Amino acid sequence: MTERSMKPTVGQSVIAVDTAEEIGSVKHFVVSQDASQVLRLHIDGRKKNAVFAEWDTLESFGADRVMVVHSEDPSGSDDDRDLAQAKGKFELLGSRVLDTAGFEHGKVEDASFDSDTGTILAIITSEGNRIEKAAVHSLGSYAVVVDA
C-alpha cells in the first residue's frame, strides 16, 4: 500500500506511457457516493468536454506526474454523477463535513488514498482532524457525512 494525498495531486500532469504524450492535468478525483473509493480522475486540457481516466487505466502516481497506460484510455462519460463531479458539484476536497448528529466539522482540506487500489483511507478536515474511512458514510452535493 502506498498512501498518497489528494490535494497535491490535483494539477499534476497526466502522461501516457505508450506515447509519452501529456494528456492534460488532474482536475478532480471522481469518488464513489459512499466516499470509499476513487473511481476515476477528471483530466483537464485534452478536449472541450470532460475527459476521465478510469482507475484501472492508471499506471502510477509519481512525485509530480500521473501515468496512464495508453494515450487513448481517457475518454468522455455520459454518467450524470461524473458530469456533476466535473462541474465540482460532488467534489470531495472542499466539501463541508457534517456528522450524523448534524454538527459541522469544517471542510475537507485533504484526503489520503491508496495509490495502488484507489481506496480512500481518510479525510483531513480544515479543523485538523483526520477521519478514518470507517467513519465516513457518504459524499453528496451538500456535504460529506461522518460518524458523530
Side-chain angles (χ1 to χ4, degrees), residues 17-132:
V17 172
D18 65 338
T19 63
E21 170 190 7
E22 183 172 352
I23 295 170
S25 60
V26 176
K27 187 167 183 180
H28 298 283
F29 283 80
V30 179
V31 176
S32 61
Q33 189 168 359
D34 66 358
S36 67
Q37 188 77 25
V38 177
L39 302 175
R40 58 194 65 83
L41 297 180
H42 173 210
I43 299 172
D44 191 24
R46 186 169 187 196
K47 297 181 179 178
K48 192 172 187 176
N49 296 325
V51 175
F52 300 91
E54 297 294 324
W55 188 262
D56 62 355
T57 68
L58 301 177
E59 178 72 21
S60 63
F61 287 82
D64 60 355
R65 306 249 183 306
V66 177
M67 307 298 285
V68 296
V69 178
H70 301 288
S71 62
E72 296 305 315
D73 286 339
S75 61
S77 176
D78 294 328
D79 182 78
D80 290 339
R81 190 168 175 90
D82 285 351
L83 298 176
Q85 283 198 340
K87 293 176 183 175
K89 292 184 180 179
F90 291 101
E91 177 66 30
L92 180 61
L93 298 178
S95 287
R96 295 174 73 176
V97 179
L98 298 178
D99 68 26
T100 52
F103 294 101
E104 187 166 344
H105 298 277
K107 294 185 176 197
V108 177
E109 182 73 22
D110 200 356
S112 63
F113 66 100
D114 180 341
S115 64
D116 298 326
T117 64
T119 301
I120 304 287
L121 303 172
I123 61 171
I124 295 83
T125 71
S126 56
E127 296 176 350
N129 298 317
R130 180 181 170 102
I131 301 171
E132 299 299 325

